[in-house]
Amino acid sequence: MVWSGTWVAERLGVELIGGEELPGLLGLALRRNPKRAHLLVSNVLGKHVPQRPGVVYGAGFSLGLRVRDLLGPDEAARSVVVGYAETATGLGHSVADGLGFAPYLHSTRRPVDGVASAGGFEESHSHATSHLLLPEDPKFLAGDGALVLVDDEFSTGNTVLNTIRDLHERFPRERYVVVALVDMRSADDLGRLADFAREIGARVDLVTGAAGTVRLPEGVLEKGQALVAAHETAYETAHESAQTPPDAPVPAPRAPRTAPVRVGLGWPSAIPDGGRHGFLAPHAAALDDALPAMTERLTAALGDARRVLVLGFEELMYAPLRLAVALEDAGRDVSYSTTTRSPVLAVDDPGYAIRTRLVFPAHDEPADGPGERYAYNVAGGGFDAVVAVVDSVADTPELHAPDGLLAQLAAHIPHVVLAVVPSYVPSYGAEPVPEAHPTPRTTTATYAHEAAPSHAHEAAPAHEAGARAGAAEVAHAHEAATRAHDARRAAVSPATHAQAAPEAVQAPERSSMLPEPLRGPAFSSYAPEEVGWLLQDLSDVELEAPTEEREEAIQSGGAHYAESLPVEYQPSDRYQELFHAALETSAARIARAVGTVTETVLAEKTGTPVLVSLARAGTPVGVLMRRWAQARHGLDLPHYAVSIVRGRGIDANALRWLAAHHDPADVVFVDGWTGKGAITRELADAIEEFQRAEGITGFDPEIAVLADPGSCVRTYGTREDFLIPSACLNSTVSGLISRTVLRADLVGPDDFHGGKFYRELAGADVSNVFLDAVAARFDEVADDVATEVKELLAADRTPTWEGWAAVERISEEYGIHDVNLVKPGVGETTRVLLRRVPWKILAQRGAGADLAHVRLLAEQRGVPVEEVDGLPYTCVGLIHPQFTRGATGADGKAVVSQ
């Protein structure tokens, strides 16, 4: 087997000197860093090289066992562990577990508002140097027990000495223990630790898993930089010429880009996401209790995936590691690694430690500004699935962007699962921090300690030599610790456990604090009492794209229509004249349909109806139904607008909000009209799925519509296919609100679907003109409504779905073979002309004024109108069935304008 440091060693003359076990623990790569040429790449750390999670956790845990033996049980019980960001945050936490679930804190490069720093230091060779210590408890580091500092590599010792010097001035103590996977100090540095200990008057021990040194030839920094530059220039040149070099750092995509699956972990709210603000034994106990349920959720999300990578995120190493260990214990073939800030050259060569590199933008709004981030040895790893674990601060649009981490993973791994751990926020002034040193408890994980070998160092000072142990001693410590850990779980009394972690309860998988509905005039031009929008405001997000680009992306399968918005159609003077003329002639007919559908609902609902319109076409109808009930019966019906998306279902968070504020049995879903009934079926399926998943019952999936020309519903105002003027325009007749948006980088699991308020179109807004014109006719149609409702309530209103049958027939007759491209009825045909790329319009022979606006739009867009006989609708719009334009879009899906 080729050593993964061969490539660098041969080209730069770098030598790794040490025991036989050292090449198995370390490989070599070249940094893209002006301060240091080479990078020691650990095979057991779980940062750059995917490794079995049991090996990664066991490497740190066994070091913790040795520190416990070094200190003795009494002093170990008073010790505190500090790890280094970003590379050693998980290692340090694992050491703290092995030490006896000691209080743990890691440094961070992420400042947190309101959290005071308890210390800070610099890492001179790093590309990002500032470290902060931000414990929730200001006294976290003030004890008299040993301070254990954990890093992956002990090289010059500068980082550790800087830390101890800073902390010793603030919180002096008598003993420090430095822990590292490998001790790679040069001969010149070996005595510095002992000299420093004498300087500060404290004992400093060293515990490492292996030792050696790196011999660097003269001028290695300059040679390394030149080699990096030459290699990357060669790759870029080959890439520009469409030739892939044999050692390319990113292999060709292996998997089609598929949308990631988001899984709710149910991470307990009282458990920190890691050691950024401190992690105590009660937190460890609560995490042990929660892991089985979280593992079940991940297992379900992974399906039958065979080889799984759990990918952590920069400083977030411990949480994904424990999840990975739990999956491994459950029988999965699991590897573990994390993303990183560290820029490293990637060379796809067996003798090089970093074979592939994925590059993506930072997605946690870092304090030092945006920049590139990396995932190494992930592409080309042969994984069937990846679980990307991030904290909620990092669950941002950048994560879901077309060049973001999830998209990069999806290009190379067939199944991408996103698991978000809630970012822990310190709660000052609330409950006191739990006791820092309760009796330790065990964990149920298994540990692979063979990954952390030990040996004696001939030139080591006495304290260092005493802390090193042979393989036999490590094995003995492992056995003893396993027995001890089994006893520790029983040793924690229920009373102690309950008192120590009173808040460690299961958190809901979604936010229970959904926002209140948006209302005008802040959102929409409707009066605030007329409708509450269960949407999130995306007014400041650029979502519009040219119609042709959207059509290409939608038909190619690269986009869903709800991931972008069409450019808002601005009507010509002639078209506006048609709208007003149509409104004048049809207002009474619309008022009669409004009255009929409203009275039917009132007659058949036992309680007070709660109108829930399907935004946005249903919203003007919902407002009119509310006005009718108020004008004719003095009823003040609640009215909300929610999003439903074909192929994606109804907004489940909106349903949760409604169920929390109203009886679901009172909800009446409202829409403008039916075409072929796709949304009717979508709603029925979505409600069934919601009730099965949530256990919330009572919602009736029946839709009440103004017009039902397709015979798809039981509750309607008319089944005639006539012009409803609210279909003639877009937002300017719908409260200046866009069609709803559902896109992964904008809408999270706890968010309502999105929508835009086009305030800038206020001058062209006729939303209230339309409502007022129709409402003004209520009195004159009241008698006709009473007669029609009496007849309807006695009639058989069972849907015949004749519209769907007609659409299927038309799809085949015209060679389209896709019912989604056939839009029946005046309203849907108008939408085709306003938002899509129309192919042709089928018009019922002899149709008159109802089609005047359709004919005008068709003329303006150069679309032929074909008059036909036997059409069950007044008209049908056909979307161009083979429209291609090479458009691309966000996430490979959503089209954005340039």
Side-chain angles (χ1 to χ4, degrees), residues 804-853:
W804 188 276
V807 165
E808 290 182 325
R809 175 177 57 80
I810 292 169
S811 175
E812 296 307 310
E813 283 183 2
Y814 283 83
I816 297 174
H817 310 302
D818 183 354
V819 293
N820 290 323
L821 300 182
V822 180
K823 302 296 185 181
V826 177
E828 292 302 303
T829 300
T830 304
R831 285 180 168 183
V832 170
L833 289 163
L834 292 177
R835 305 182 194 172
R836 303 295 292 271
V837 175
W839 180 32
K840 60 180 64 179
I841 305 300
L842 307 182
Q844 191 180 80
R845 195 179 304 278
D850 280 337
L851 291 189
H853 76 293

Side-chain angles (χ1 to χ4, degrees), residues 107-133:
S107 67
T108 179
R109 295 190 178 102
R110 182 194 289 176
V112 178
D113 290 341
V115 183
S117 174
F121 50 91
E122 295 294 312
E123 187 176 3
S124 58
H125 66 267
S126 174
H127 58 282
T129 60
S130 296
H131 287 250
L132 299 171
L133 294 174

Side-chain angles (χ1 to χ4, degrees), residues 455-597:
H455 66 283
H457 192 291
E458 295 180 359
H463 293 326
E464 300 174 31
R468 299 178 187 277
E473 292 174 77
V474 171
H476 175 73
H478 176 208
E479 295 173 2
T482 301
R483 292 193 300 270
H485 280 186
D486 290 340
R488 285 174 194 155
R489 182 179 291 276
V492 179
S493 69
T496 302
H497 185 188
Q499 189 175 21
E503 297 180 336
V505 295
Q506 188 76 5
E509 291 183 37
R510 70 194 71 83
S511 171
S512 60
M513 299 296 292
L514 290 167
E516 289 300 300
L518 301 171
R519 294 184 183 271
F523 189 84
S524 89
S525 60
Y526 294 137
E529 67 275 9
E530 302 246 64
V531 60
W533 302 83
L534 295 177
L535 299 175
Q536 64 163 316
D537 189 354
L538 300 180
S539 301
D540 296 329
V541 181
E542 185 177 357
L543 295 166
E544 292 76 18
T547 301
E548 291 77 10
E549 289 185 11
R550 295 183 72 251
E551 193 63 46
E552 156 61 17
I554 291 169
Q555 289 199 34
S556 69
H560 190 279
Y561 76 89
E563 293 175 329
S564 63
L565 294 174
V567 177
E568 280 288 303
Y569 170 75
Q570 294 304 298
S572 64
D573 291 342
R574 183 181 171 194
Y575 190 86
Q576 291 186 65
E577 291 172 3
L578 276 177
F579 166 81
H580 288 287
L583 180 58
E584 176 64 28
T585 58
S586 64
R589 185 161 51 166
I590 296 168
R592 191 172 64 197
V594 168
T596 299
V597 69

Side-chain angles (χ1 to χ4, degrees), residues 50-264:
Q51 178 58 274
R52 288 196 299 116
V55 170
V56 177
Y57 189 59
F61 195 90
S62 62
L63 288 170
L65 292 177
R66 289 174 49 210
V67 175
R68 182 177 178 83
D69 289 343
L70 172 69
L71 296 175
D74 291 340
E75 190 167 3
R78 295 185 293 113
S79 64
V80 175
V81 180
V82 172
Y84 288 92
E86 65 176 42
T87 307
T89 58
L91 175 66
H93 210 144
S94 303
V95 169
D97 286 359
L99 185 55
F101 300 99
Y104 175 65
L105 178 73
H106 70 69
S107 67
T108 179
R109 295 190 178 102
R110 182 194 289 176
V112 178
D113 290 341
V115 183
S117 174
F121 50 91
E122 295 294 312
E123 187 176 3
S124 58
H125 66 267
S126 174
H127 58 282
T129 60
S130 296
H131 287 250
L132 299 171
L133 294 174
L134 303 176
E136 179 172 21
D137 181 359
K139 299 180 181 179
F140 190 96
L141 297 170
D144 59 357
L147 180 62
V148 181
L149 300 107
V150 183
D151 207 353
D152 59 309
E153 170 195 339
F154 192 52
S155 50
T156 65
N158 288 336
T159 301
V160 168
L161 298 187
N162 288 339
T163 308
I164 295 176
R165 180 177 285 109
D166 178 82
L167 293 179
H168 196 69
E169 292 177 358
R170 300 167 184 248
F171 311 106
R173 56 197 349 114
E174 296 181 353
R175 192 167 191 181
Y176 297 88
V177 180
V178 178
V179 180
L181 285 173
V182 291
D183 174 8
M184 301 303 292
R185 289 173 297 167
S186 66
D188 294 339
D189 290 324
L190 286 176
R192 293 182 63 199
L193 200 60
D195 292 342
F196 178 76
R198 286 190 290 270
E199 175 189 332
I200 65 172
R203 175 170 175 169
V204 182
D205 295 293
L206 178 65
V207 175
T208 64
T213 189
V214 178
R215 182 174 296 164
L216 302 174
E218 186 176 351
V220 68
L221 179 59
E222 293 76 13
K223 292 178 182 178
Q225 291 173 343
L227 187 56
V228 169
H231 194 83
E232 293 197 329
T233 299
Y235 174 72
E236 291 172 1
T237 301
H239 183 71
E240 290 173 358
S241 63
Q243 298 177 355
T244 302
D247 56 356
V250 182
R254 168 177 178 252
R257 288 179 181 260
T258 57
V261 174
R262 185 185 289 266
V263 60

